[in-house]
Amino acid sequence: MKKILLILLALVVFSISANAGQVTIKNSNGDNIYIFDKLVFKEFWGSSTKIMGEITNNTENNYKSIYFQITVYDDKDNIIDMTHICIQNLNSGMTKSFLGYINDTPPSQYSKYKIEYYDSF
């Protein structure tokens, strides 16, 4: 099931703002698999970024841990930085808050970001 899920997840790229709003990752059938909501990229300790939000698991799977990679880009599509977020004990239908950090790069330097499924167990 894990391999099938990896194949079905779509790559998601969005423009960024201080309050990025909602991001949905869909499978090949167009079903909303994971919904990232209330996304905020906030300056933290001068030159770092705190990423906060909520994720909803719309799959039938219960996860002990699930990881996503967030990559941020400048206005010329160059990768500035990336981070991984881990959400623990995310059961089917559940919504949980998450928190992540990007060091040494304030959100004012980001033009867009990409969220990708990374791993789970």
Side-chain angles (χ1 to χ4, degrees):
M1 181 67 170
K2 183 176 171 183
K3 289 181 183 178
I4 293 171
L5 183 61
L6 284 171
I7 293 169
L8 294 177
L9 289 177
L11 190 64
V12 182
V13 179
F14 294 91
S15 296
I16 194 166
S17 64
N19 185 351
Q22 186 179 82
V23 174
T24 302
I25 296 179
K26 300 176 182 254
N27 65 13
S28 60
N29 295 327
D31 301 322
N32 295 336
I33 297 180
Y34 304 105
I35 299 172
F36 288 86
D37 201 10
K38 301 178 185 172
L39 281 171
V40 176
F41 291 72
K42 183 177 180 182
E43 192 164 320
F44 180 74
W45 283 57
S47 64
S48 295
T49 301
K50 180 189 284 188
I51 305 167
M52 302 170 286
E54 294 180 346
I55 181 173
T56 300
N57 176 5
N58 282 341
T59 72
E60 296 178 5
N61 302 318
N62 296 323
Y63 296 104
K64 192 171 192 174
S65 294
I66 187 165
Y67 298 86
F68 292 89
Q69 178 174 295
I70 299 176
T71 307
V72 292
Y73 298 84
D74 65 15
D75 58 357
K76 296 179 182 166
D77 291 335
N78 297 309
I79 294 174
I80 296 175
D81 210 337
M82 68 179 65
T83 191
H84 293 97
I85 56 169
C86 175
I87 298 98
Q88 296 183 331
N89 301 315
L90 184 65
N91 294 329
S92 178
M94 184 181 281
T95 298
K96 287 190 86 171
S97 296
F98 68 87
L99 181 63
Y101 296 92
I102 295 178
N103 297 320
D104 303 323
T105 311
S108 60
Q109 294 183 14
Y110 309 157
S111 177
K112 63 183 179 182
Y113 65 95
K114 174 175 63 176
I115 300 177
E116 298 174 276
Y117 169 85
Y118 188 74
D119 198 7
S120 62
F121 60 94

